Amino acid sequence: MAQNKNALIRYKTIDKCLQNKYRQWTLEDLIEACSQALFEYEGKETSVSKRTIQLDIQMMRSEKLGYNAPIAVYDKKYYHYEEEDFSITDIPLTETDINVLTETVSMLKQFKDFSLFNDVSDILQRLEDKIYAEKSHTQPVIHLDKNENLKGLHFLDEIYQAIIKKVVLVITYKSFKSREAQQLTFHPFILKEFNNRWFLVGKTKGSQPITNLALDRIEKIDYDFTIPFLEETFNAEVYYKNIVGVTVNQGLYPVKIELWIDQMNAPYVITKPLHHSQKILQTNEDGSIIVHLFLIPNYELERLLLGFGNGLEILKPSNLRKRIVRIIEKTYQRYQTDEI
């Protein structure tokens, strides 16, 4: 990355030199200018070889970076731009550039609930103005699913800052099962997004297990600066390795799960695995498949499996199969009523 940065500094320096029509530029002059520019950037002497600048000029002349710089040599020693007022900083955006920038801006805007977005908001505004100037009415071709009306999103940045600064939170929280809100002293570790909902993951005490709180159930956030923050190493990749979603049932271990997937749903499961542990055990003549997962069963997994309807059958383990059967039976009974 540093080498790429240095190359860009050299390109800009050469460009600036060749824009100066009141001076003649030899290869040695360009080497000296680039060396000085790199010294100002790095704060140390940097050796720039003759070969490096020659390759830089060749690169600027080519189409690889989109410059196509009209760099010519006269009197066999002086470099200049053949085109008046040419500069590599004035290269017009291609249609591909515009499309990429449009989608990049669109994706970055998904993080507008964080204060870190403020640091780039002005840049994004300038990018949008540039895009519009180059090609008006450009429509995004990527649409990211996001629920703007989800409660609790305004807490995102406050929690993010608390995690970074290791501040203990006092959270007024009302779960779906509780009649009254309760106050929790909470040590925040990470923010986790799943299925278009945000969760705060952390602990209430050092002796308590990891807990996740849905942001849409948080009513109020305060701080307690008198309690030392729990200095624990929390590895989200390890913690969530064997589950789907956010619910980690304490005391349970991953189990082998075998699923039959019908012909219609098999291609989707093959191309988008249900979990990274998924392995195909068998492909049947009718196009159906049997897959193996290594997971801790939880609520989110059950919802995922039930979403396939009759296109999926749980073969193993028996206790998970029986639980899903009970859910399906209750669903069937509900639809037997004549009341609408």
Side-chain angles (χ1 to χ4, degrees), residues 64-223:
K64 291 182 180 180
L65 299 177
Y67 293 155
N68 294 299
I71 301 175
V73 182
Y74 66 96
D75 293 341
K76 298 182 179 180
K77 61 184 296 188
Y78 299 115
Y79 290 81
H80 74 126
Y81 281 144
E82 285 186 309
E83 294 180 15
E84 189 75 20
D85 299 326
F86 179 87
S87 173
I88 62 173
T89 60
D90 294 332
I91 302 298
L93 294 173
T94 65
E95 185 173 353
T96 300
D97 295 333
I98 293 171
N99 291 338
V100 171
L101 284 173
T102 300
E103 302 314 326
T104 302
V105 169
S106 176
M107 285 186 280
L108 284 174
K109 281 186 172 181
Q110 303 299 311
F111 296 94
K112 66 182 179 62
D113 297 302
F114 293 93
S115 62
L116 54 86
F117 178 83
N118 296 331
D119 297 332
V120 297
S121 60
D122 290 341
I123 299 173
L124 293 182
Q125 181 61 57
R126 292 197 297 272
L127 273 175
E128 287 187 302
D129 291 342
K130 177 68 173 176
I131 293 168
Y132 186 83
E134 292 286 340
K135 184 179 180 181
S136 299
H137 310 300
T138 301
Q139 294 295 322
V141 294
I142 296 176
H143 180 265
L144 300 179
D145 190 21
K146 185 176 181 183
N147 187 353
E148 295 286 352
N149 298 320
L150 184 65
K151 293 181 179 179
L153 291 180
H154 62 286
F155 289 128
L156 272 174
D157 187 59
E158 190 172 3
I159 295 172
Y160 170 80
Q161 296 297 335
I163 295 172
I164 296 297
K165 297 170 183 175
K166 298 185 178 182
V167 176
V168 178
L169 299 175
V170 179
I171 298 176
T172 304
Y173 189 79
K174 184 180 180 182
S175 69
F176 288 118
K177 297 179 181 179
S178 302
R179 291 186 178 182
E180 301 292 334
Q182 57 179 321
Q183 200 171 76
L184 304 171
T185 300
F186 204 81
H187 300 256
F189 294 164
I190 65 164
L191 281 162
K192 181 174 175 61
E193 188 270 343
F194 174 72
N195 198 25
N196 229 351
R197 292 183 75 200
W198 283 93
F199 298 86
L200 171 59
V201 182
K203 280 188 175 185
T204 54
K205 294 180 181 178
S207 58
Q208 295 298 311
I210 297 292
T211 304
N212 66 71
L213 306 177
L215 262 63
D216 54 16
R217 305 310 301 164
I218 295 177
E219 296 184 350
K220 182 183 176 182
I221 289 179
D222 207 338
Y223 310 94

Side-chain angles (χ1 to χ4, degrees), residues 173-289:
Y173 189 79
K174 184 180 180 182
S175 69
F176 288 118
K177 297 179 181 179
S178 302
R179 291 186 178 182
E180 301 292 334
Q182 57 179 321
Q183 200 171 76
L184 304 171
T185 300
F186 204 81
H187 300 256
F189 294 164
I190 65 164
L191 281 162
K192 181 174 175 61
E193 188 270 343
F194 174 72
N195 198 25
N196 229 351
R197 292 183 75 200
W198 283 93
F199 298 86
L200 171 59
V201 182
K203 280 188 175 185
T204 54
K205 294 180 181 178
S207 58
Q208 295 298 311
I210 297 292
T211 304
N212 66 71
L213 306 177
L215 262 63
D216 54 16
R217 305 310 301 164
I218 295 177
E219 296 184 350
K220 182 183 176 182
I221 289 179
D222 207 338
Y223 310 94
D224 192 331
F225 298 102
T226 65
I227 302 176
F229 190 86
L230 289 175
E231 295 291 345
E232 290 194 13
T233 302
F234 177 74
N235 189 322
E237 294 297 326
V238 174
Y239 186 73
Y240 292 108
K241 179 181 179 181
N242 296 117
I243 70 158
V244 170
V246 296
T247 306
V248 179
N249 295 318
Q250 301 295 325
L252 297 184
Y253 295 93
V255 296
K256 296 179 181 179
I257 299 173
E258 286 189 15
L259 308 172
W260 171 86
I261 313 290
D262 69 1
Q263 178 186 14
M264 182 181 296
N265 289 284
Y268 297 98
V269 174
I270 293 172
T271 55
K272 187 181 181 237
L274 303 177
H275 186 256
H276 64 77
S277 65
Q278 176 177 303
K279 294 181 180 179
I280 299 176
L281 298 181
Q282 182 177 316
T283 301
N284 301 316
E285 292 184 2
D286 62 357
S288 64
I289 59 174

Side-chain angles (χ1 to χ4, degrees), residues 278-317:
Q278 176 177 303
K279 294 181 180 179
I280 299 176
L281 298 181
Q282 182 177 316
T283 301
N284 301 316
E285 292 184 2
D286 62 357
S288 64
I289 59 174
I290 295 177
V291 300
H292 166 275
L293 303 173
F294 191 62
L295 288 171
I296 299 175
N298 62 4
Y299 173 71
E300 291 95 323
L301 177 63
E302 291 177 2
R303 291 192 65 180
L304 175 64
L305 300 181
L306 287 167
F308 282 87
N310 66 352
L312 178 147
E313 179 184 353
I314 299 171
L315 305 178
K316 297 178 183 179

